[in-house]
Amino acid sequence: MTYLTVYTDGPAPETLLRTEDQAEIATTLKEIGVRLRHWDIVDGLDDATQDEVLAAYRDEVAAVVAEEGYTFVDVAKLGPDAPADVAAGARAKFLNEHTHDDDEVRFFVAGSGIFYLHVGGRVNAVFCEPGDLLSVPKNTTHWFDMGTSPHFTAIRFFHDDDGWVGDFTGDQISARIPDYDTIAAERG
Ligand SMILES: [Fe+2]
């Protein structure tokens, strides 16, 4: 289940909220236009292929596609068997603050990752776990941290089958906010 930490965004960020209360998390995110939903978890997909993952969640995926008009769906996966340079490169790619011209919609099938949503002077660190479907609207300022030992399988939804690119803000704020490893350790 999701874990949310909220920070101020100044030079010395302070923690405003830490919660595992799913209703509180959904309400907090709704205030910034971000939607969090939960699907029933299908177990045993850790070693599944992309087709097997999409087949396991066929009905849920179809409903989201019909609702939001997505035209392309795929599965992103990174695990302990990834070479260190591949893992580090993948992590670095979206660790700096950016926006997209498309929604960023992810369903966590396995593992975890943190979306940091920087809105209204606050940073909402959404620790996503299996069963979490997070919908970040286009143009929301954010970054993503998968940690130094990435492990996740996520279904991704796009409006554009060219995928999506990041428009980086140049703000180094992600260096000031606790990273994935820190939050994961704090959560225990
Ligand atoms: Fe992004």
Side-chain angles (χ1 to χ4, degrees), residues 55-138:
Y57 288 102
R58 183 184 292 116
D59 294 346
E60 291 89 343
V61 167
V64 169
V65 166
E67 210 173 292
E68 308 287 345
Y70 297 115
T71 55
F72 183 72
V73 179
D74 73 0
V75 177
K77 187 173 178 177
L78 207 57
D81 53 340
D85 59 331
V86 171
R91 182 184 185 223
K93 197 172 175 189
F94 292 109
L95 196 52
N96 287 318
E97 188 183 77
H98 62 277
T99 60
H100 303 286
D101 289 336
D102 197 356
D103 304 339
E104 187 154 341
V105 182
R106 302 287 181 271
F107 173 72
F108 281 77
V109 172
S112 57
I114 302 181
F115 278 92
Y116 294 81
L117 313 167
H118 185 194
V119 182
R122 295 182 173 195
V123 174
N124 300 263
V126 189
F127 192 110
C128 293
E129 293 187 311
D132 294 347
L133 172 68
L134 189 72
S135 303
V136 180
K138 63 180 179 180

Side-chain angles (χ1 to χ4, degrees), residues 27-43:
T27 302
T28 304
L29 295 181
K30 195 176 175 188
E31 286 168 6
I32 58 169
V34 172
R35 192 152 54 150
L36 176 70
R37 287 179 282 177
H38 301 286
W39 293 351
D40 290 339
I41 298 168
V42 177
D43 290 321

Side-chain angles (χ1 to χ4, degrees), residues 9 24 61 76 97 130 138 141 161 171:
D9 67 350
E24 184 178 26
V61 167
E97 188 183 77
K138 63 180 179 180
T141 308
D161 60 10
D171 190 330

Side-chain angles (χ1 to χ4, degrees), residues 148-161:
T148 53
S149 303
H151 172 211
F152 68 90
T153 301
I155 299 176
R156 311 188 295 182
F157 298 80
F158 303 94
H159 283 108
D160 176 351
D161 60 10

